[in-house]
């Protein structure tokens, strides 16, 4: 019943563009917010047992790989940003890599044209997964409970099954045709799913047991690696045993910067999130938002113009720093940013063609997932992980029961040709052997006065950065609570295409009309604003408030 009321509340909110002041779950000590109740619960139980946020990260990650196969994964990758209770911050890159034999033009035909869907669907789209290596890195550095205890609840869940939700049934059903097309056997996903059906994944349970028993080698070597490489090879892909054996997650220095009186820590390259977030927030900082209404014409104008300039830089400069030189300091320098914003005018939109050049195309349905964790010791963990689009390449490893990513599409297949999110890339993000593809993922942590304030992140492809941005501004500038902030209608601009994407019915007619007059083109479509923000706010009394995005089945659990 409570769920019904909440859903009703959200649809009323989106229909009437009223600000909901709804509170999220409030707890005293510790919390996990993720895309599924089962996963948040498993993570929270680990915390209750005395585990820390890093232990809970591992447990939550594997649980999502079972209960949220659209994006939760062992066949994908992601990024973690953390803030330990002593204030130290850090970041882990467990992003996928291009296979050793990958090369710049691998998605082009003999005439140099991009072959449709080759980087999106099937075995050719697969990057070398990083998730399992990521969890072992986290465990080695910070874990306190035995790994076996952290993964066992997910093994049980895979074996005994869980009930699919209504949204999930719809999501799986919409993917079965492609899953069927890509695989050479009938996978367990290929039936008509409905709410309440039990999904049991015995092959996945066995794969997770091999990870439990043999550690990282349970995935990157031995039986799992054999099944993985043989199947992908059978389907015409290029992943080799050597690719799997060589994969390493990498600890990186996160991007840290000040916004007003807050310190923001977010992911660095190969994720563009931290750099873009820094650019956009610094572009906005000189403007007095206390005189600008939330989601008003002026507000949307200001954010849009800052976003436009940042996404143009993203397309031109950003790529894997282990392969290309990226002028991170210059790009986030305040003088540089002020210069970029010098052409901004309240009187009319700056056309993207005047900011830089490019061409534009279409979209498909996407999924990634984010989870936020704060433990009873004060450690915070922010993780975004993905297979890229929903169910990734749709390849479900025969005999091992897990989906493989299609992260290769995040590379620029050809300079100037947009990827599935309409993002354009340059040489900096071209394909090379063992290179990491550029990401928009933005796991973020905010602190104030040296204390933890907020942990947040979201899926949403190119809209990830702008959804995280809007939630930071909602809380920092407009003083919203966490759930209230997550509930707000969102909009997005990414330089190209030169349009503002808006959640339908979330914005006033008059606001949209004024924006049109100023030269902004608006596209209202639900599927385009796909973020599901899962966040935690530390309240002034030290309690934690969860913000679980009701656009999905996302749930906060804690104590
Ligand atoms: O790394 C990236 O930017 C994309 N692969 C993320 C994909 C995504 O968020 C899909 N989501 N809903």
């Amino acid at each position: 019943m409570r769920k019904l009321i909440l859903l009703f509340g959200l649809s009323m909110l989106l229909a009437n563009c009223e600000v909901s002041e709804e509170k999220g779950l409030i707890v005293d000590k510790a919390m996990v917010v993720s895309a599924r109740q089962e996963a948040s619960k498993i993570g929270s139980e680990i915390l209750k047992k005395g585990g820390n946020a890093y232990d809970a990260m591992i447990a939550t990650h594997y649980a999502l790989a079972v209960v949220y196969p659209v994006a939760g994964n062992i066949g994908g990758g992601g990024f973690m940003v953390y803030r330990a209770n002593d204030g130290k911050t850090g970041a882990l890159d467990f992003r996928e890599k291009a296979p050793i034999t990958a090369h710049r033009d691998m998605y082009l035909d003999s005439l140099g044209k991009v072959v449709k869907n080759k980087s999106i669907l099937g075995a050719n789209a697969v990057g070398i997964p990083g998730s399992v290596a990521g969890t072992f890195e986290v465990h080695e550095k910070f874990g306190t409970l035995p790994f076996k205890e952290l993964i066992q609840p997910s093994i049980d869940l895979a074996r005994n099954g869980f009930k699919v939700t209504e949204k999930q049934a719809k999501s799986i059903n919409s993917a079965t045709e492609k899953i069927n097309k890509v695989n050479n056997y009938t996978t367990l996903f290929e039936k008509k799913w409905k709410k309440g059906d039990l999904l049991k994944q015995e092959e996945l349970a066995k794969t997770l047991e091999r990870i439990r028993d043999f550690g990282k080698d349970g995935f990157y070597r031995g039986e799992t690696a054999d099944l993985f490489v043989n199947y992908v090879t059978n389907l015409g892909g290029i992943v080799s045993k050597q690719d799997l054996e060589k994969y390493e997650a990498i600890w990186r220095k996160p991007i840290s910067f000040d916004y007003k009186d807050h310190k923001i820590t977010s992911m660095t390259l190969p994720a563009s999130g931290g750099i873009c977030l820094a650019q956009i927030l610094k572009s906005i900082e000189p403007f007095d938002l206390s005189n600008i209404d939330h989601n008003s014409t002026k507000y949307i104008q200001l954010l849009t113009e800052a976003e436009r300039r940042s996404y143009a830089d993203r397309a031109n400069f950003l790529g894997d720093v282990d392969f290309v030189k990226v002028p991170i300091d210059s790009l986030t320098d305040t003088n540089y940013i002020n210069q970029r914003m010098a052409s901004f005018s309240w009187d009319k939109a700056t056309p993207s063609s005047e900011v830089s050049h490019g061409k534009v195309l279409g979209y498909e349905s996407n999924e990634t997932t984010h989870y936020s964790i704060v433990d009873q010791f004060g450690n915070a963990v922010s993780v975004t992980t993905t297979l890229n689009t929903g169910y990734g390449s749709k390849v479900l490893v025969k005999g091992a029961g897990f989906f493989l990513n299609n992260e290769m599409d995040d590379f620029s297949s050809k300079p100037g040709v947009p990827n599935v999110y309409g993002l354009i890339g340059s040489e900096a993000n071209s394909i090379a052997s063992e290179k990491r593809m550029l990401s928009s993922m933005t796991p973020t942590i905010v602190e104030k006065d040296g204390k933890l304030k907020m942990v947040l992140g979201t899926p949403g492809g190119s809209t990830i950065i702008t959804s995280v941005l809007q939630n930071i501004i909602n809380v920092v500038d407009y003083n919203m609570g966490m759930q209230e902030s997550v509930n707000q209608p969102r909009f997005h601009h990414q330089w190209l295409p030169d349009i503002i994407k808006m959640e339908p019915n979330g914005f006033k007619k008059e606001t949209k009309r004024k924006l049109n007059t100023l030269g902004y083109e608006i596209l209202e479509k639900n599927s385009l604003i796909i973020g599901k923000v899962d966040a935690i706010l530390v309240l002034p009394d030290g309690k934690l408030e969860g913000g679980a995005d009701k656009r999905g089945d996302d749930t906060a659990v804690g104590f």
Side-chain angles (χ1 to χ4, degrees):
M1 188 63 193
R2 188 174 135 76
K3 252 197 183 148
L4 265 181
I5 294 169
L6 292 181
L7 273 180
F8 180 72
L10 181 69
S11 52
M12 288 301 287
L13 155 83
L14 292 179
N16 296 330
C17 37
E18 275 168 14
V19 172
S20 152
E21 286 177 10
E22 185 198 320
K23 285 264 172 261
L25 175 73
I26 295 180
V27 298
D28 290 331
K29 289 186 184 152
M31 182 181 275
V32 180
V33 191
S34 82
R36 285 285 303 224
Q37 196 241 351
E38 293 89 337
S40 299
K41 202 163 157 227
I42 284 175
S44 174
E45 269 158 19
I46 290 296
L47 297 175
K48 243 190 201 153
K49 261 185 162 177
N52 62 18
Y54 312 100
D55 293 320
M57 176 268 174
I58 296 162
T60 308
H61 196 98
Y62 284 102
L64 285 168
V66 176
V67 290
Y68 198 60
V70 66
N73 67 80
I74 53 175
F79 300 99
M80 175 179 98
V81 169
Y82 69 86
R83 181 185 184 276
N85 54 7
D86 61 3
K88 284 204 184 94
T89 57
L92 182 65
D93 161 2
F94 52 99
R95 178 69 160 171
E96 296 92 328
K97 283 167 60 170
I100 295 166
T101 55
H103 57 92
R104 192 180 184 281
D105 297 336
M106 64 185 276
Y107 297 118
L108 304 187
D109 64 15
S110 56
L111 299 173
K113 276 188 141 175
V114 174
V115 180
K116 197 167 178 245
N117 279 336
K118 198 173 174 191
S119 64
I120 299 172
L121 204 58
N124 275 297
V126 177
I128 312 309
S131 287
V132 173
T135 58
F136 280 97
E137 276 296 324
V138 171
H139 193 252
E140 201 172 300
K141 191 167 168 116
F142 293 118
T144 58
L145 297 180
F147 197 92
K148 287 184 194 323
E149 272 183 44
L150 306 176
I151 198 172
Q152 192 59 44
S154 301
I155 296 171
D156 299 340
L157 202 56
R159 176 155 295 134
N160 302 329
F162 66 92
K163 286 188 176 158
V164 308
T165 66
E166 194 171 341
K167 283 180 184 148
Q168 190 164 37
K170 217 170 136 193
S171 155
I172 301 175
N173 290 337
S174 71
T176 42
E177 203 184 309
K178 283 185 183 160
I179 295 174
N180 177 272
K181 190 174 154 193
V182 158
N183 291 283
N184 65 12
Y185 68 106
T186 307
T187 71
L188 59 84
F189 287 94
E190 288 159 69
K191 62 164 234 184
K192 184 113 183 96
W193 291 89
K194 54 182 193 328
K195 183 183 167 194
D197 283 351
L198 200 62
L199 174 54
K200 292 187 185 184
Q201 303 169 84
E202 180 56 29
E203 288 180 349
L204 177 59
K206 292 215 167 77
T207 300
L208 296 177
E209 281 176 338
R210 287 191 291 274
I211 296 171
R212 177 194 66 192
D213 297 340
F214 305 113
K216 200 180 153 191
D217 286 353
F219 184 83
Y220 293 96
R221 290 167 191 262
E223 191 177 341
T224 312
D226 288 345
L227 289 165
F228 182 157
V229 172
N230 291 342
Y231 189 51
V232 166
T233 308
N234 267 337
L235 297 184
I238 58 169
V239 175
S240 68
K241 293 250 179 81
Q242 204 194 354
D243 275 315
L244 295 180
E245 283 165 16
K246 276 186 84 176
Y247 186 87
E248 303 271 356
I250 302 172
W251 293 100
R252 298 196 188 268
K253 187 170 167 280
I255 299 280
S256 278
F257 61 96
D258 290 331
Y259 172 64
K260 301 195 171 158
D261 48 355
H262 291 69
K263 182 181 166 206
I264 317 267
T265 303
S266 190
M267 194 60 213
T268 188
L269 293 168
S272 59
I275 295 172
C276 293
L277 199 58
Q279 287 194 314
I280 300 170
L281 283 171
K282 285 186 181 191
S283 304
I284 291 166
E285 201 169 15
F287 296 84
D288 183 4
L289 289 184
S290 66
N291 288 326
I292 299 178
D293 286 341
H294 185 254
N295 277 353
S296 63
T297 305
K298 279 197 146 180
Y299 180 83
I300 296 170
Q301 242 187 308
L302 179 61
L303 266 64
T304 294
E305 294 301 340
E307 289 168 4
R308 185 198 307 282
R309 287 157 177 79
S310 175
Y311 276 80
D313 277 352
R314 181 192 191 281
N316 285 320
F317 295 109
L318 305 192
D320 182 351
V321 269
D322 295 340
F323 284 73
V324 288
K325 270 212 161 110
V326 180
I328 299 181
D329 290 345
S330 311
L331 287 169
T332 53
D333 175 74
T334 308
N335 288 334
Y336 169 78
I337 285 165
N338 291 344
Q339 256 176 40
R340 292 280 284 165
M341 284 299 278
S343 56
F344 165 63
S345 156
W346 290 113
D347 300 332
K348 84 177 191 23
T350 316
S352 284
S353 54
E354 284 175 19
V355 174
S356 204
H357 303 281
K359 279 189 206 133
V360 193
L361 270 188
Y363 299 82
E364 91 151 51
S365 100
N366 316 298
E367 279 298 340
T368 293
T369 194
H370 177 87
Y371 49 96
S372 294
I373 304 176
V374 174
D375 70 19
Q376 61 278 30
F377 313 111
N379 303 298
V381 160
S382 185
V383 177
T384 314
T385 179
T386 192
L387 291 164
N388 194 22
T389 62
Y391 310 94
S393 62
K394 318 288 189 284
V395 174
L396 187 77
V397 178
K398 203 179 193 169
F402 61 94
F403 281 109
L404 293 175
N405 68 82
N406 57 349
E407 222 73 59
M408 289 296 285
D409 188 63
D410 275 347
F411 278 119
S412 173
S413 292
K414 188 179 174 180
V417 176
N419 76 351
V420 83
Y421 305 104
L423 290 168
I424 313 259
S426 67
E427 200 51 47
N429 189 31
S430 63
I431 305 169
S433 171
E434 298 196 64
K435 186 175 172 185
R436 281 155 150 92
M437 53 297 276
L438 185 62
S439 171
S440 300
M441 289 190 264
T442 316
T444 299
I445 293 178
V446 179
E447 57 190 275
K448 193 184 175 201
D449 302 329
K451 287 195 192 126
L452 178 68
K453 173 148 176 175
M454 185 167 39
V455 185
L456 80 165
T458 182
S462 55
T463 69
I464 290 176
I465 301 164
T466 56
S467 291
V468 169
L469 168 83
Q470 287 169 84
N471 278 278
I472 293 175
I473 298 175
N474 289 346
V475 171
V476 169
D477 292 287
Y478 293 91
N479 218 9
M480 290 184 201
M482 200 66 262
Q483 189 64 51
E484 184 188 357
S485 166
V486 169
N487 287 355
Q488 300 302 311
R490 295 197 278 266
F491 63 94
H492 169 79
H493 195 289
Q494 61 179 46
W495 176 51
L496 292 173
D498 192 351
I499 44 174
I500 302 177
K501 295 170 205 158
M502 283 183 169
E503 278 186 305
N505 307 319
F507 296 85
K508 290 190 183 121
K509 264 205 185 113
E510 181 55 16
T511 306
K512 289 183 276 185
R513 197 193 56 75
K514 276 199 225 149
L515 285 165
N516 285 149
T517 316
L518 290 163
Y520 294 94
E521 195 184 323
I522 292 171
L523 180 64
E524 287 185 282
K525 207 171 160 195
N526 240 337
S527 62
L528 292 178
I529 306 288
I530 39 186
K532 296 183 196 89
V533 175
D534 283 342
I536 301 173
L537 180 66
V538 183
L539 300 173
D541 62 2
K543 291 187 179 176
L544 307 173
E545 185 198 355
D549 207 320
K550 296 191 188 61
R551 294 164 180 86
D553 294 317
D554 306 46
T555 312
V557 177
F559 55 90

